[in-house]
Amino acid sequence: MLKKLMEKTTPLMEQYLKIKKEHPDKILLFRMGDFFEMFGKDAEKAAPILNIALTVRNKKSKVQTKMCGMPHHSIASPISKLLAAGFNVAICDQIEPYEASNKGLVKRAVTRILSPGMVYDPETIDQLKNNYMAAIDKNHISFLDISTGTAYYYQVKDKKDFFKLFNLLSPAEVIVTSSQKEKFLKSPIFQNYHLTVFDKKEIRDLTGRDFSNSILEKYDLYPESVKRLIRYALFMQGESVLNILHSFEHKKLNQEMYYSTHLFHHLEVFKNYEGSHKDTLFSSINRTKTPGGARYLRKILQTPLVNKKDIEERWDQIDMWISQKEKLENIRNILSCIGDGERKLGKVVQPTCNGRDLLAISEVLSYGLQIYELMNDESYLKELEIAKNIKYNIEKTIKPSPPILLKEGGLINKGVNPQLDQWIELSKNTQHLLLKMEKEEQMKTGISSLKIRYNNIFGYYIEVRKTYSSKVPSHYIRKQTLVNVERYTMEELNVLEEKILSAHSKQVEMEYQIFQDLKTEILKQLPYLLKLAYDLSEKDVFSSLAFVAIENKYIRPKFGLELKITNSRHPVLEQKSFLEFIPNTIHLKESESLILTGPNMAGKSTIMRQVALTVLLAQSGSFVPADKAILPLFHKMFTRIGASDLLSQGLSTFMVEMQETAEILEKADSKSLVILDEIGRGTATFDGMSLAQSILEFLTLEKKPILLSATHYHELTQLAKKHPVIHNGSMAIREKEGQIYFLYTLLKEPANKSYGIQVAKLAGLPASVVNRASGLLKSYEGIKKNKQKIDQMDLFTKEQKTERVEKPQQNTQNKLKESPIIKELIQYPLFDKTPIEAMNQIQRWQKNLTNLEKNKMKESGAELKSSFLDFSID
C-alpha cells in the first residue's frame, strides 16, 4: 500500500510515507505548519477516538488520502486519548525552521515515541489513580508510574496473586519479552492489557554522568522485571527520567492484608456493580483536596495494613487533626490551591516542559511552604530550604505570563542577565525604529495606508495596495504580488531587518539557555521536592479522613479478640439523603459464625458488607462508622457475593462461584474475616443446600475464621443446634394484612419464612402471577408436610433423625388398626367361607380402598396434580 502511494504522490507525502514506514505500528502525528496531521489508516483509527472530522487530501487526484489533524499547541489531550485507547504514538516534528530549508521541503523526524505507560502530559490523564507500567519475571511483578515516580515490586508465586494485582492496579501497559508475549496472548488474564515487547538487555551508556542517589545504584540488586522497566523508561525518555524515579520498594503480600481477588468488586470499593464511580466506598470518604491525596487514599484502601503499630500511627494522625479543628480548616483551604503537585513536579522531566510549568511548580512550593509554616512542622528542614530556594529562583527568572513556546522570546525577567537585558533593549529599539521608518515612508510616498509587516516566509516587507502602485518609488524592490496588494523591500529595510532578527535571535537563544539551566537545577533537587509533595499528599489524606470522621461521626476503633461493632452503619448508604439508615450491633467472638436468614431486600447483605467495609476502613487507617468498635486484627479477608459469569473463559455463574469459594476454603484461617452470600444458589436445591452446609461446616470446624453467611436455605439454621460457635440471625419483618415491612434490624434468631412471594409482589409482579405462586406454594408445602418426602440430610443428630423416622411409622400403625376395613380383615372368618364368598369380599374391600384413596387425593394433592396438567405441551 505504501509503495503504491509513493509511486504517484507529492514530495511532502513521500517524506511522510518514508517516516511512516519506519513506524508502522504507531499512529504518526506529522507536523505541517501549525498542525499535526494523521493520514490513511492512522486517521481512520484516530478520528472516532478524538471525535474530529475525517477529511480527504488531494480530492481531485486519483490517489486520495484520508486525513485529520489538530493544532500543534493543543495536542496533549488528543495524545492522551490515543494512549488510553491502547495505541503507541510517534511525534514527527519539523527539526529546522522554514528559512533554513531555502523555501524547499522542511526536514522532519520523529522526536518522541509514546506508549500508554509513557504519558505526553501528566495533567491530561486520570488524576484519581496512578498510570502504571508493569513487568513480570518468574517470581516478581513490578509497577512504575512515570508521571509521579511511584515504583514498587511484589514477590509472588501464586498465579491467582498475579491476576489479583493486575485486576487491582490495572496497568496501562505491560512491558514483556518476545517469548512472554507468545505465552501471555494465550492467557485470558492479559487479553485486555496493552503488551509492549522490549527485549533490550543493556542499559544506555551514562558513563561520566553524575547520578548520585540514583536508582541506578541499586540496579544490580533488583529482579529482572524491575530492570526491564528501568531500561524501558531510559530508552523512551532519556536520562532525565532518573531524576523522578524512586527506588523500587519491595512489597510482600504478608505485610499487607491478603484479600480475595474480587473483594473490591464485591464490596463496591472503587466501582459499583454498574461500573460507575458513584456511590462507592472511595467516593463516600474521599474528601481530599489534591489529586495526589486522592491517589494516596486509593493506595491505602488497596493495601490495608496488618501491623498494629502502623495502623495506630495513622489513627493518631486523624486524632491530631480532629483536636485542631481550626487549623484543619485552614490547611484544607490551602491544600485546595495546590492542584496535582506530584505531576506538576513530574512535568519538569518532560521535553514539553515550559515556563508556565515552572511557575506551576513555584505555586505548589509556595502553598506547601505555607502549610509547613502553619503547622510549625520542621520534619523536613533540608527539603524546605531547597523548596524556598527553587521557588525564589523560578519567580526571579520566569516572567509572570510567559509564552507557551520556549523560542518566541519574552520568557525571562529583566535583571536576570545583563547581556540578555542589552539584547532585549536593542530588540525594543529596533522595533521603535521600524515604526518610525513606516511613518517616514508614508510621508515620503504620500501613501497613508502603507504598512511594514512581517511573516515567517518573506521576513519584513512594505505592503502597498495596487491602487497606489503609481506612487511606489523606484528604489522599492518587488518581493511578492498578491490579488490586491504588492509587497516590496528596500536596502534600508533589509539593514534594519538584519538588526532586528539578530537581536531577537540572540535574545531567544540566551533566554532558552537560562531556562534550561534553571530546569537542570530543579531536576537535581527534584527528589527532595517530590518528598515534600508526597508528604503533602499524606497530610491531605489524614486531614480529609479527620474531616469525614467529624462530618459523619466516625469513631476510633480498638483492637481485641472479638468483633463487636456497636450501632454499626454502612459508610455509603448512610450518606444517601433519601435513606434513614438503621444502625445495628454485631457481636461475634473468635472463630464464631453468624448465619443470616430472611427475605431479599431485608438487609442481610447490607449488614455483612458494612462489617467488611468497617474492617477495611479500620485497617487502612481510617476511623469507622459506629458508636463503638472492637475489631480483631485480620490478616485476610474474603468475600463471595453476587452472581457473575466469565463466559469468555467458558465459566458459568455457578463455576465462578465455586472457584471463588475454593480460594476461600484454601486460604482462610483463624485470622480471617469471611463473607458468604447465598452459597450454593446456582445449582439444584439439594445440591446447593448440601454444598452450603458442607462449606459452612468446613470453614467453622477446620479453618475457624469469623464468618458471616446469608442464605435462603432455612434448613441450615439447624446447624446452630449442632455447633455452639454457629449463631442464627435474621432481619426483622413486620407483616400486616398480607403486606410486609422491612425494619432493617438484626435479630438473634432465624427467620420463620422467606417472604419471597411478598417481595415479588412489592417488586411489581402481576397479581395473577403472585396469586398463582401463592396457590402453588400451599400445594408444595402440603405435599411436603403430608408426605414427609424431604428429609434434611445431615442437619440433625442421629437421635433427631430416628425420632423423625419412627414417629410417622407409629402413627401409621395406629391409624391402620383404627381403620374399619382393617378391623373387618382381622375378624373375617376366612376358613368358614367358600372361595367365591372370599373373592367377593376382597373385591368389596378393594373398591372401598380405591374410593378412600381418591378422597385423600382430593384433599391433599389435587391442586398439585392440576398444576402439572397445566404445563402439558398441548
Side-chain angles (χ1 to χ4, degrees):
M1 180 66 179
L2 290 178
K3 185 177 179 181
K4 185 177 179 180
L5 286 172
M6 290 179 74
E7 289 175 357
K8 298 179 180 180
T9 191
T10 62
L12 178 71
M13 288 306 294
E14 285 181 8
Q15 184 187 49
Y16 165 81
L17 293 168
K18 184 178 180 181
I19 296 171
K20 176 62 182 173
K21 192 174 181 180
E22 296 172 359
H23 302 277
D25 58 335
K26 304 172 188 70
I27 289 185
L28 183 65
L29 301 185
F30 190 72
R31 180 72 178 268
M32 292 175 62
D34 291 336
F35 283 79
F36 275 101
E37 303 286 358
M38 290 164 281
F39 299 101
K41 290 187 177 180
D42 284 358
E44 292 178 31
K45 292 174 185 175
I49 295 170
L50 305 180
N51 194 26
I52 56 179
L54 189 66
T55 59
V56 176
R57 181 179 173 85
N58 301 328
K59 290 184 179 180
K60 297 181 180 180
S61 171
K62 292 182 180 180
V63 182
Q64 295 182 354
T65 307
K66 291 182 179 179
M67 65 180 290
C68 63
M70 74 286 292
H72 73 93
H73 56 77
S74 60
I75 63 170
S77 180
I79 287 176
S80 293
K81 289 179 181 178
L82 292 172
L83 295 176
F87 291 105
N88 289 347
V89 174
I91 300 176
C92 179
D93 216 333
Q94 296 173 180
I95 58 174
E96 66 172 356
Y98 183 84
E99 306 87 65
S101 66
N102 294 320
K103 301 181 179 57
L105 197 62
V106 178
K107 288 182 180 179
R108 295 177 174 87
V110 171
T111 56
R112 197 169 176 196
I113 296 174
L114 299 166
S115 58
M118 290 288 176
V119 296
Y120 179 77
D121 184 347
E123 292 187 7
T124 61
I125 57 179
D126 189 344
Q127 293 186 329
L128 297 183
K129 65 178 184 179
N130 287 93
N131 191 70
Y132 286 115
M133 292 186 295
I136 298 173
D137 57 46
K138 187 175 181 181
N139 296 317
H140 304 88
I141 179 169
S142 303
F143 296 93
L144 168 63
D145 181 354
I146 208 73
S147 68
T148 64
T150 304
Y152 50 86
Y153 65 96
Y154 284 91
Q155 185 172 357
V156 290
K157 295 181 180 179
D158 192 329
K159 288 183 179 179
K160 291 180 181 177
D161 292 336
F162 274 107
F163 174 69
K164 184 177 75 174
L165 289 167
F166 263 86
N167 189 48
L168 178 66
L169 299 174
S170 299
E173 182 176 16
V174 185
I175 312 303
V176 298
T177 63
S178 299
S179 58
Q180 280 182 333
K181 185 174 183 179
E182 292 181 14
K183 296 176 183 177
F184 289 176
L185 286 176
K186 298 174 184 177
S187 170
I189 295 174
F190 296 99
Q191 293 300 312
N192 297 322
Y193 292 102
H194 181 91
L195 304 181
T196 297
V197 175
F198 186 73
D199 289 319
K200 193 176 176 65
K201 292 291 183 182
E202 68 278 1
I203 201 163
R204 63 183 294 159
D205 184 18
L206 299 171
T207 307
R209 306 303 299 272
D210 179 20
F211 290 109
S212 54
N213 299 319
S214 165
I215 193 173
L216 296 182
E217 291 181 355
K218 298 180 181 179
Y219 180 79
D220 292 333
L221 302 176
Y222 285 132
E224 171 55 31
S225 55
V226 171
K227 291 178 180 178
R228 192 182 313 136
L229 289 178
I230 295 173
R231 291 194 300 267
Y232 184 69
L234 277 168
F235 177 78
M236 293 292 284
Q237 293 211 336
E239 63 193 46
S240 64
V241 78
L242 294 173
N243 295 289
I244 196 173
L245 291 185
H246 304 186
S247 292
F248 276 74
E249 180 185 357
H250 182 193
K251 290 191 173 188
K252 296 180 181 178
L253 292 172
N254 60 6
Q255 293 176 337
E256 301 161 0
M257 178 190 283
Y258 183 92
Y259 44 82
S260 52
T261 304
H262 299 289
L263 180 136
F264 288 100
H265 172 66
H266 291 159
L267 298 180
E268 298 180 291
V269 176
F270 299 112
K271 287 185 180 181
N272 61 29
Y273 278 105
E274 296 174 351
S276 168
H277 299 286
K278 186 180 178 182
D279 296 334
T280 62
L281 177 66
F282 180 75
S283 67
S284 297
I285 67 166
N286 181 21
R287 302 291 192 280
T288 57
K289 293 294 186 177
T290 68
R295 290 193 296 273
Y296 190 91
L297 176 61
R298 187 183 186 93
K299 179 182 176 182
I300 67 173
L301 287 175
Q302 288 172 335
T303 54
L305 303 175
V306 295
N307 184 288
K308 181 180 177 182
K309 182 183 176 183
D310 292 342
I311 296 169
E312 290 183 334
E313 283 178 357
R314 291 182 177 180
W315 292 345
D316 289 341
Q317 290 189 60
I318 296 173
D319 265 335
M320 182 272 292
W321 286 110
I322 291 175
S323 67
Q324 303 179 59
K325 292 182 183 178
E326 185 177 344
K327 187 176 287 187
L328 171 64
E329 185 177 349
N330 291 334
I331 295 296
R332 284 173 59 78
N333 288 335
I334 298 172
L335 283 167
S336 65
C337 301
I338 287 179
D340 199 336
E342 294 174 23
R343 284 180 173 164
K344 285 179 180 179
L345 285 166
K347 286 191 76 173
V348 76
V349 306
Q350 303 288 342
T352 54
C353 178
N354 58 34
R356 297 183 186 187
D357 295 327
L358 296 193
L359 287 180
I361 289 173
S362 173
E363 189 176 46
V364 170
L365 298 178
S366 178
Y367 286 117
L369 289 167
Q370 287 181 42
I371 290 174
Y372 284 99
E373 184 178 350
L374 186 62
M375 292 184 66
N376 198 23
D377 188 346
E378 297 183 350
S379 305
Y380 299 93
L381 289 176
K382 181 179 180 180
E383 290 81 1
L384 291 172
E385 190 61 33
I386 290 171
K388 288 177 185 176
N389 292 334
I390 293 295
K391 171 184 171 296
Y392 172 77
N393 289 340
I394 292 173
E395 291 175 351
K396 183 187 76 172
T397 305
I398 306 297
K399 279 190 172 182
S401 298
I404 295 176
L405 299 178
L406 296 177
K407 295 188 176 182
E408 282 188 357
L411 176 65
I412 305 300
N413 279 321
K414 191 174 181 181
V416 173
N417 184 291
Q419 182 62 62
L420 175 62
D421 291 345
Q422 290 181 18
W423 291 120
I424 293 173
E425 194 61 34
L426 180 59
S427 182
K428 283 183 179 179
N429 286 337
T430 52
Q431 290 292 336
H432 173 72
L433 291 173
L434 198 64
L435 291 172
K436 183 181 177 183
M437 179 182 288
E438 182 180 85
K439 289 181 181 179
E440 288 176 351
E441 290 302 311
Q442 288 174 355
M443 294 290 292
K444 288 178 183 178
T445 61
I447 305 172
S448 59
S449 61
L450 180 148
K451 299 291 182 185
I452 297 179
R453 299 182 183 279
Y454 175 84
N455 67 31
N456 288 329
I457 298 174
F458 293 102
Y460 288 96
Y461 54 85
I462 301 169
E463 186 171 276
V464 179
R465 292 179 186 173
K466 285 189 175 180
T467 53
Y468 296 103
S469 296
S470 59
K471 293 185 176 183
V472 173
S474 59
H475 65 277
Y476 277 21
I477 304 167
R478 184 180 280 105
K479 292 187 74 170
Q480 188 183 20
T481 300
L482 300 178
V483 176
N484 297 315
V485 297
E486 295 281 356
R487 290 175 177 174
Y488 303 90
T489 187
M490 60 179 181
E491 187 176 349
E492 294 89 338
L493 181 59
N494 290 336
V495 172
L496 183 59
E497 178 180 19
E498 187 176 346
K499 287 182 179 179
I500 293 172
L501 293 178
S502 175
H504 182 71
S505 175
K506 289 176 180 178
Q507 174 193 339
V508 168
E509 186 179 341
M510 185 168 286
E511 286 191 348
Y512 181 75
Q513 188 57 51
I514 291 170
F515 174 84
Q516 291 298 330
D517 291 343
L518 178 58
K519 181 178 170 181
T520 301
E521 179 188 351
I522 297 171
L523 282 170
K524 286 181 180 178
Q525 307 298 346
L526 191 59
Y528 300 104
L529 301 180
L530 284 169
K531 194 173 182 181
L532 287 179
Y534 301 140
D535 184 62
L536 288 172
S537 294
E538 185 175 338
K539 284 179 168 57
D540 186 16
V541 166
F542 292 107
S543 63
S544 73
L545 289 176
F547 185 82
V548 171
I550 296 169
E551 184 183 45
N552 296 300
K553 298 180 180 179
Y554 284 16
I555 55 93
R556 177 171 179 155
K558 295 180 180 179
F559 286 122
L561 297 177
E562 61 183 358
L563 184 149
K564 187 175 183 180
I565 313 173
T566 305
N567 288 331
S568 168
R569 311 187 306 273
H570 194 292
V572 180
L573 296 181
E574 74 163 345
Q575 293 187 34
K576 297 181 78 66
S577 59
F578 61 87
L579 289 176
E580 182 183 352
F581 192 84
I582 309 297
N584 280 286
T585 296
I586 300 98
H587 186 193
L588 290 171
K589 296 179 182 178
E590 279 186 284
S591 303
E592 287 191 335
S593 300
L594 177 65
I595 297 177
L596 291 169
T597 50
N600 291 320
M601 298 297 295
K604 302 192 303 296
S605 292
T606 300
I607 286 282
M608 295 193 300
R609 280 181 167 94
Q610 72 192 48
V611 170
L613 290 173
T614 297
V615 170
L616 180 62
L617 283 173
Q619 294 192 212
S620 296
S622 170
F623 285 9
V624 299
D627 289 351
K628 186 178 180 181
I630 300 172
L631 302 170
L633 184 60
F634 291 107
H635 285 229
K636 299 177 182 179
M637 182 156 56
F638 301 93
T639 57
R640 164 81 282 281
I641 300 172
S644 60
D645 53 40
L646 291 171
L647 296 180
S648 62
Q649 299 179 32
L651 303 179
S652 67
T653 300
F654 183 63
M655 176 58 81
V656 172
E657 178 184 334
M658 288 298 101
Q659 284 188 344
E660 292 179 3
T661 305
E663 180 188 10
I664 297 172
L665 298 182
E666 177 190 354
K667 295 186 176 179
D669 56 25
S670 60
K671 292 184 177 181
S672 301
L673 174 67
V674 177
I675 306 294
L676 299 178
D677 194 4
E678 304 294 354
I679 282 294
R681 67 179 170 182
T683 185
T685 301
F686 293 131
D687 280 357
M689 200 185 326
S690 303
L691 281 167
Q693 178 182 335
S694 180
I695 289 165
L696 290 175
E697 287 182 332
F698 179 79
L699 285 170
T700 302
L701 302 177
E702 300 292 332
K703 295 292 187 171
K704 300 181 180 180
I706 286 182
L707 167 66
L708 286 86
S709 176
T711 184
H712 282 294
Y713 297 135
H714 286 255
E715 293 82 355
L716 297 180
T717 59
Q718 297 298 319
L719 286 170
K721 296 178 181 179
K722 186 176 181 182
H723 305 294
V725 293
I726 296 179
H727 305 280
N728 285 318
S730 61
M731 306 308 295
I733 300 290
R734 183 160 62 92
E735 191 171 5
K736 184 179 180 181
E737 297 177 355
Q739 295 290 327
I740 60 169
Y741 301 90
F742 302 125
L743 303 182
Y744 304 111
T745 302
L746 180 62
L747 303 176
K748 295 181 179 180
E749 59 187 39
N752 56 3
K753 59 179 179 178
S754 289
Y755 296 96
I757 292 175
Q758 288 89 333
V759 174
K761 184 178 179 182
L762 285 175
L765 263 65
S768 59
V769 173
V770 173
N771 294 335
R772 174 66 170 153
S774 298
L776 290 172
L777 179 63
K778 289 178 182 177
S779 299
Y780 293 142
E781 287 178 340
I783 290 296
K784 178 179 176 182
K785 184 177 180 181
N786 294 327
K787 297 294 184 181
Q788 295 291 331
K789 287 185 176 179
I790 299 176
D791 190 17
Q792 189 65 31
M793 286 176 288
D794 196 24
L795 290 176
F796 309 98
T797 61
K798 290 182 179 178
E799 291 78 13
Q800 288 174 315
K801 286 202 290 190
T802 303
E803 184 180 352
R804 279 172 58 87
V805 172
E806 289 178 353
K807 280 187 177 180
Q809 290 176 343
Q810 292 170 359
N811 291 336
T812 303
Q813 290 174 0
N814 291 334
K815 288 179 180 179
L816 286 172
K817 289 179 180 179
E818 293 173 3
S819 171
I821 296 175
I822 297 299
K823 287 181 180 179
E824 282 187 43
L825 180 60
I826 293 172
Q827 297 172 3
Y828 188 74
L830 180 62
F831 297 101
D832 295 337
K833 300 295 182 180
T834 64
I836 293 297
E837 290 175 335
M839 289 177 66
N840 289 333
Q841 183 59 44
I842 291 171
Q843 188 178 23
R844 285 193 294 273
W845 286 335
Q846 283 180 332
K847 186 177 180 181
N848 290 338
L849 286 170
T850 302
N851 290 334
L852 182 63
E853 188 65 21
K854 286 180 179 180
N855 290 333
K856 287 182 179 179
M857 285 295 293
K858 286 179 181 179
E859 292 173 1
S860 62
E863 289 185 28
L864 181 61
K865 185 177 180 181
S866 67
S867 73
F868 285 118
L869 292 174
D870 289 348
F871 286 98
S872 61
I873 307 178
D874 233 358

